[in-house]
Amino acid sequence: MASLRRGSNVELTREIPDLPGVVLGVRCDAGPERALADSVVLAAILCDRGSRALSGEHFVFFNQLTEPSGSVGMAAEVTGDDLEQVEVVFAEVPAEVSRIVVVLYVNEGNGLRRALGRLRELTVRALDPRGERELVRSENLATTLDGETALALGEVYRHNGGWKFKVLGEGYRAGIAGLAQDYGVTR
């Protein structure tokens, strides 16, 4: 299977009309720096048409495992080689949600001098929740990272009555604070 480059997208529900949702998983290889791999956190932000979080309750991560509608949540059990996974149920996503952005950040990265640029490999992939078949995978997003401590990996978004997946690969040197500011995540 070919991998998608940054900025590339694929129409999920046009290709698979009965697709009920997706599982978005992240894989990374930190080599000998196991502490770095142990300190990365996967999260999801439910955004409106302006790419702004609907509220602080629409930021899904290890301390808030789901958002109010229950349509997006952290996977209770990770399958395969993914580090972490986010599950999305298309039919339950509230109408005001235009896109679901999947992000990765280093927990307390600035204080510990850990950065995503130290990863050897980093990919995001979309899986069919009915059996975990891989639908699409990103290119290795680690190749252009340096001192970034947060990264918008990809997004699932509404398009012409269906859903698409896009690889983003947008890094943030200001970490989760910079990413949260860009997407309007407040607590």
Side-chain angles (χ1 to χ4, degrees):
M1 169 183 291
S3 57
L4 286 181
R5 299 174 62 140
R6 284 174 176 81
S8 298
N9 62 59
V10 63
E11 295 197 39
L12 296 171
T13 52
R14 189 179 86 182
E15 299 295 324
I16 309 169
D18 66 338
L19 187 68
V22 289
V23 174
L24 301 167
V26 65
R27 291 181 174 184
C28 68
D29 178 3
E33 292 202 39
R34 187 70 204 150
L36 174 59
D38 291 341
S39 66
V40 296
V41 175
L42 184 65
I45 307 168
L46 284 77
C47 299
D48 60 18
R49 288 179 183 241
S51 294
R52 306 291 288 173
L54 272 71
S55 74
E57 291 181 332
H58 292 90
F59 181 72
V60 177
F61 69 118
F62 66 86
N63 258 357
Q64 187 164 280
L65 299 176
T66 189
E67 47 74 45
S69 75
S71 65
V72 178
M74 298 302 298
E77 188 174 313
V78 176
T79 59
D81 295 333
D82 291 337
L83 182 65
E84 291 189 75
Q85 294 175 330
V86 171
E87 299 171 325
V88 179
V89 180
F90 294 147
E92 295 177 17
V93 176
E96 63 269 21
V97 175
S98 179
R99 56 192 2 93
I100 301 159
V101 181
V102 180
V103 302
L104 186 75
Y105 64 94
V106 179
N107 200 15
E108 300 180 27
N110 292 334
L112 299 174
R113 296 182 185 237
R114 294 186 181 134
L116 296 172
R118 298 179 75 125
L119 294 172
R120 292 180 177 175
E121 188 171 346
L122 175 62
T123 58
V124 61
R125 63 193 194 127
L127 307 162
D128 186 329
R130 305 165 297 186
E132 303 291 322
R133 179 175 60 95
E134 184 174 288
L135 304 173
V136 65
R137 172 190 304 256
S138 74
E139 67 182 341
N140 182 2
L141 299 173
T143 59
T144 60
L145 298 175
D146 185 29
E148 294 86 354
T149 55
L151 181 71
L153 294 163
E155 65 182 358
V156 177
Y157 62 99
R158 295 181 194 270
H159 180 74
N160 293 333
W163 290 91
K164 292 178 85 171
F165 173 77
K166 180 178 182 179
V167 176
L168 297 174
E170 298 168 359
Y172 290 81
R173 288 184 177 264
I176 189 63
L179 193 142
Q181 181 178 4
D182 274 6
Y183 286 98
V185 177
T186 58
R187 281 282 180 206

